[in-house]
Structures are given as C-alpha cells and as structure tokens.
Amino acid sequence: MDTKALSAAQAYASALTGKSTPGTDAAGAGAAAGPSFADLIKDVVEQTVEAGEKSEQTAVKAAAGQAELVDVITAVNAAEMTLETVMAVRDQVIQAYQDIVRMPI
C-alpha cells in the first residue's frame, strides 16, 4: 500500500476514534494545515483506478507476448489489494453513517 492510501486510512481511523492527526487539533480546526479527508479519499480512488488500468495494460502485454506472467500476477494482486482497501474504507464510512442516523437526538 502506498503512502497516500496509508494516509487516507490513518485519517479515517483517527476520524472514527476522535483522535487528532499531526497538524490538526482535536476539534479538527487545523484542517487548513493539510489536505481534507475528501481529498485523501479522492486520491485513493484515483490510485485505485490507475492500479486497475496498469494491471489491464500488463495483461494485454502478456497476451501479446511482451510481458511475463509474474508481472501480470503482481499487477493484478496490487490492483486487488488497493480495491479491497477502498472497499473496506467504504464499508466503514457506510457503517459510521448508519450509526449516526440511528443515534437518538
């Protein structure tokens, strides 16, 4: 997992636990010091798409005899891990939203 995906996962985890991340205070007022959570998620989604495209390109090269099978497997595994990470974060965001909706006022 690359640094941007890890940063997004850490930002999400800190948002869930209510702990501040470096550069922000506990209330989140220091958000101007770094990228927003939405920006981090956007970056991770873009990286997921790029990883999928790379694995497709590698598979096409392998079909044409220009790439090794190991390269295809590595690219597909990287894309799969990235996608699974994004889906796990998505599931947690949905769960958090559902928990908020169920909270008594």
Side-chain angles (χ1 to χ4, degrees), residues 9-57:
Q10 289 172 340
Y12 179 73
S14 66
L16 284 179
T17 60
K19 295 180 181 175
S20 62
T21 56
T24 63
D25 60 9
S36 69
F37 182 69
D39 290 339
L40 291 173
I41 296 298
K42 180 182 174 187
D43 290 343
V44 171
V45 169
E46 288 173 355
Q47 291 173 5
T48 303
V49 170
E50 290 173 8
E53 290 172 350
K54 181 180 177 185
S55 68
E56 289 175 8
Q57 291 169 355

Side-chain angles (χ1 to χ4, degrees), residues 42-84:
K42 180 182 174 187
D43 290 343
V44 171
V45 169
E46 288 173 355
Q47 291 173 5
T48 303
V49 170
E50 290 173 8
E53 290 172 350
K54 181 180 177 185
S55 68
E56 289 175 8
Q57 291 169 355
T58 306
V60 168
K61 286 181 182 178
Q66 298 173 349
E68 296 292 324
L69 183 59
V70 173
D71 297 331
V72 175
I73 292 171
T74 303
V76 170
N77 281 340
E80 182 180 8
M81 287 190 323
T82 304
L83 182 61
E84 287 177 2

